[in-house]
Amino acid sequence: MKSLPIKTGNIELNKIIELILGSQLIGFEIPKNQSLSCTWSLRLFFENCNDVLCCSSDVASVGDGSWQEYGYLKLDMTDENLLGSRDKYNFREITPVAFTKISKLVNNEDDVVAECGLIMTTEEAQQVVISAASAPGAVTVKAQFYDGEYDPEIPFEDLDELPM
């Protein structure tokens, strides 16, 4: 069985969980001419914090000679002051959202376990879902603050939700 866990760059997953649960989400940033339906770079900003959560995805094959690829989530944190020029991004402020629970979405198929999404849930059961999109490298978002299309690589109902 091949495992494709959430890739976290140079930071431990626990630090990312602490950021999400320890502060309120106050906005996001994506490249101009992209939407939350399909973006190659999603940056999440939190209240009273310089850490920015950067979200994207990647793909891998099982190595058996087939062309089948499986998407998995990539998360990283960076200091807002190190983002460089932001003139190619659009920032959108949102009503602050505090999360009390985090789960991961897992695709179990063809002897592959791919951690392809993240669900952040509030005390009122409001959710922000970030999933690998159908376009390789991209993510798609489902949230109360976005009324556009949610277009995950694997349909939501075909994924397993596991606590983190």
Side-chain angles (χ1 to χ4, degrees):
M1 176 155 311
K2 183 165 184 158
S3 177
L4 300 171
I6 294 172
K7 187 174 179 182
T8 58
N10 295 326
I11 190 117
E12 293 179 22
L13 186 57
N14 286 343
K15 294 287 185 191
I16 293 171
I17 293 170
E18 287 174 17
L19 171 66
I20 294 169
L21 296 178
S23 187
Q24 294 186 78
L25 178 65
I26 59 168
F28 66 88
E29 189 172 77
I30 59 175
K32 292 180 179 177
N33 301 320
Q34 291 186 17
S35 74
L36 291 178
S37 294
C38 184
T39 183
W40 281 268
S41 179
L42 170 64
R43 297 171 174 176
L44 301 178
F45 294 82
F46 295 85
E47 188 174 60
N48 300 322
C49 183
N50 284 336
D51 290 325
V52 177
L53 182 60
C54 302
C55 310
S56 61
S57 70
D58 206 347
V59 295
S61 62
V62 293
D64 63 357
S66 74
W67 288 94
Q68 180 66 40
E69 292 182 320
Y70 302 87
Y72 60 95
L73 204 59
K74 289 174 55 178
L75 303 174
D76 206 354
M77 275 178 18
T78 191
D79 187 293
E80 184 176 356
N81 298 316
L82 299 176
L83 289 176
S85 175
R86 294 169 59 189
D87 61 342
K88 294 181 180 177
Y89 284 79
N90 284 328
F91 176 81
R92 180 169 164 208
E93 188 174 345
I94 63 170
T95 302
V97 182
F99 300 107
T100 57
K101 179 180 140 189
I102 302 174
S103 304
K104 58 186 169 185
L105 291 172
V106 179
N107 178 18
N108 281 300
E109 68 174 301
D110 303 328
D111 289 332
V112 175
V113 177
E115 297 178 356
C116 58
L118 191 68
I119 301 176
M120 301 174 287
T121 306
T122 68
E123 194 170 282
E124 298 80 23
Q126 178 186 19
Q127 292 184 327
V128 173
V129 181
I130 302 169
S131 300
S134 52
V139 292
T140 185
V141 177
K142 180 179 177 181
Q144 186 172 0
F145 54 79
Y146 180 64
D147 59 4
E149 184 181 2
Y150 171 67
D151 187 24
E153 175 187 29
I154 305 295
F156 188 82
E157 56 274 4
D158 293 340
L159 300 172
D160 298 324
E161 180 180 347
L162 302 176
M164 292 180 74

